[in-house]
């Protein structure tokens, strides 16, 4: 019996197929050599620890990243102002015990203007000169955001209030994929512009995973007349399941290719970390190749991935 007839394609060896795809597929230019790129400016975000064990983890993270000489490091403020004292303690300890420049996150939620102003004055008196000014999210259990009666309603109001207290350097949030409650992408950009007009000099973005989404956002922001630096927020992902859940709430898209990359690694933390490093490294290199020279890392108080990715970008410890 003769063998069934095969199509010419099925006859090809895998090698020939690869060659054919290469010859006929789209060409992608190589990423520029790292030696041609200056090391980028960096900033790192931490959260204030809740327990002694987490406190130790935070400080070992701070110490590990300190030699990379970031432009600043920022400390988050819990939903509803729940970490006010811990944020303050962490920021002032960074100021006292390290060579780093801290930035304190501050939100409008659950406090009057006077109360927020008092926190800001406390920072100014302690020598803290950089605030990341945010509206904040409602505390757990509360459905939507309601401005506090007598409080700053939105981040733009907070920025203006801070500028009345001291000449703080102020960073604000930006959303390449649009804030979930914004009525339209243009309204969201108008809001960003209001925050800058009120005195902010830098925007830090919500994390995102698709580099072109960020690059398109930068184009739109420039077209809208925004000229302050817009720094991409980079989240190295180790716990994919958790990030997928959180992303659904904050409006960051998780691309299908990413779900596929982490598929089957739920019980394999080591491989997940290696995959996470590759995903984040690809993302930042692509941004760097497109002229992005400043990066903000959401460290989640874990230094290793951030350190490795910063290294790939050309950052080296300095004495
Ligand atoms: C870099 C970064 C750091 C963050 N750190 C923290 C943190 O430490 N603690 C924390 O709780 N959260 C933090 N967040 C989350 C942030 O608080 C939420 O995303 C929040 O929902 C919006 O904050 P915002 O400052 O962007 O708000 P805003 O800029 O005030 O805008 C939020 C929404 O309100 C709408 N809006 C603005 N002004 C008006 C107006 N006058 N009338 C009606 N609608 C209006 C806007 O269109 C927008 O959709 C951070 C986010 C980022 C990107």
């Amino acid at each position: 019996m003769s063998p069934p007839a095969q199509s010419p394609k099925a006859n090809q060896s895998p090698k020939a197929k690869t060659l054919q795809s290469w010859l006929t597929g789209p060409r992608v230019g190589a990423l520029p050599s790292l030696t041609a790129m200056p090391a980028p400016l960096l900033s790192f975000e931490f959260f204030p620890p809740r327990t002694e064990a987490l406190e130790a983890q935070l400080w070992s993270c701070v110490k590990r990243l300190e030699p990379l000489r970031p432009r600043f490091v920022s400390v988050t403020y819990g939903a509803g102002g729940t970490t006010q004292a811990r944020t303050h303690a962490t920021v002032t300890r960074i100021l006292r015990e390290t060579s780093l420049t801290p930035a304190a996150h501050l939100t409008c939620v659950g406090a009057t203007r006077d109360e927020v102003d008092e926190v800001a004055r406390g920072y100014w008196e302690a020598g803290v000169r950089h605030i990341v000014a945010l509206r904040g999210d409602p505390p757990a259990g509360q459905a939507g955001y309601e401005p506090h009666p007598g409080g700053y309603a939105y981040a733009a109001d907070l920025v203006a209030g801070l500028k009345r207290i001291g000449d703080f350097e102020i960073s604000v949030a930006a959303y390449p994929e649009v804030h979930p409650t914004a009525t339209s992408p243009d309204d969201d950009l108008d809001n960003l512009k209001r925050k800058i007009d009120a005195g902010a000099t830098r925007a830090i973005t919500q994390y995102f995973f698709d580099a072109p989404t960020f690059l398109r956002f930068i184009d739109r922001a420039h077209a809208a007349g925004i000229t302050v630096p817009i720094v991409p927020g980079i989240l190295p992902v180790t716990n994919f399941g958790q990030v997928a859940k959180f992303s659904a709430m904050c409006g960051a898209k998780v691309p299908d290719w990413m779900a596929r990359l982490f598929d089957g690694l739920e019980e394999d933390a080591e491989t997940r970390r290696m995959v996470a490093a590759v995903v984040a490294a690809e993302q930042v290199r692509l941004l760097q190749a497109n002229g992005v020279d400043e990066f903000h890392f959401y460290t989640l108080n874990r230094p290793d991935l951030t350190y490795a990715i910063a290294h790939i970008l050309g950052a080296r410890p300095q004495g």
Side-chain angles (χ1 to χ4, degrees):
M1 201 171 78
S2 59
Q6 284 186 325
S7 72
K9 227 178 175 179
N11 265 336
Q12 283 172 348
S13 72
K15 201 171 168 195
K17 255 197 200 161
T18 307
L19 184 62
Q20 194 179 39
S21 324
W22 168 242
L23 290 172
T24 56
R27 290 288 199 286
V28 178
L31 290 172
S33 145
L34 276 171
T35 48
M37 298 272 188
L41 294 168
L42 302 172
S43 53
F44 303 131
E45 184 175 303
F46 306 120
F47 65 86
R50 234 185 5 256
T51 63
E52 263 179 44
L54 288 175
E55 173 102 13
Q57 183 185 317
L58 166 68
W59 288 100
S60 93
C61 177
V62 169
K63 285 290 165 195
R64 171 87 169 124
L65 296 175
E66 184 177 11
L68 295 179
R69 294 256 189 270
R71 196 169 194 180
F72 66 91
V73 295
S74 77
V75 181
T76 61
Y77 201 71
T82 45
T83 64
Q84 183 181 313
R86 281 186 274 130
T87 302
H88 189 276
T90 306
V91 167
T92 49
R93 186 171 168 194
I94 289 172
L95 199 58
R96 272 196 322 273
E97 296 183 18
T98 73
S99 59
L100 298 165
T101 302
H105 291 216
L106 190 55
T107 72
C108 310
V109 176
T112 64
R113 284 176 183 232
D114 285 349
E115 286 163 346
V116 173
D117 288 356
E118 202 179 308
V119 176
R121 254 183 240 108
Y123 278 127
W124 185 266
E125 279 155 21
V128 177
R129 294 290 181 265
H130 187 167
I131 303 280
V132 181
L134 303 143
R135 185 199 76 179
D137 282 324
Q142 194 180 307
Y145 174 77
E146 284 293 334
H148 186 282
Y152 291 110
Y154 293 98
D157 309 308
L158 175 60
V159 174
L162 290 170
K163 278 290 180 189
R164 286 192 288 272
I165 290 168
D167 190 18
F168 285 110
E169 176 179 356
I170 300 178
S171 299
V172 290
Y175 301 87
E177 294 175 285
V178 185
H179 187 273
T181 65
T183 46
S184 73
D186 284 348
D187 278 358
D188 213 27
L189 264 189
D190 285 347
N191 180 50
L192 176 58
K193 208 158 181 306
R194 277 199 296 277
K195 296 192 273 193
I196 292 156
D197 292 344
T201 51
R202 174 187 297 99
I204 303 170
T205 76
Q206 182 61 277
Y207 67 84
F208 58 91
F209 299 112
D210 179 50
T213 297
F214 172 82
L215 297 168
R216 280 194 294 272
F217 175 66
I218 295 283
D219 277 347
R220 290 183 42 239
H222 284 176
I226 292 171
T227 53
V228 303
I230 299 180
V231 182
I234 305 298
L235 177 67
V237 171
T238 40
N239 188 336
F240 178 76
Q242 210 173 52
V243 167
K245 249 187 242 158
F246 186 69
S247 301
M249 288 188 296
C250 72
K253 281 196 197 69
V254 178
D256 291 345
W257 56 259
M258 212 169 145
R260 195 170 145 74
L261 272 181
F262 284 98
D263 180 38
L265 298 179
E266 294 76 12
E267 306 301 325
D268 184 353
E270 204 184 326
T271 309
R272 267 203 327 261
R273 280 164 54 73
M274 288 190 249
V275 171
V278 171
V279 168
E282 266 184 16
Q283 185 191 21
V284 294
R285 287 277 285 135
L286 201 53
L287 293 173
Q288 193 184 37
N290 281 280
V292 177
D293 57 2
E294 191 166 353
F295 295 87
H296 182 80
F297 284 91
Y298 295 107
T299 70
L300 305 182
N301 295 2
R302 294 178 187 280
D304 297 5
L305 279 172
T306 296
Y307 193 96
I309 297 154
H311 181 93
I312 289 170
L313 281 169
R316 294 293 179 271
Q318 291 163 43

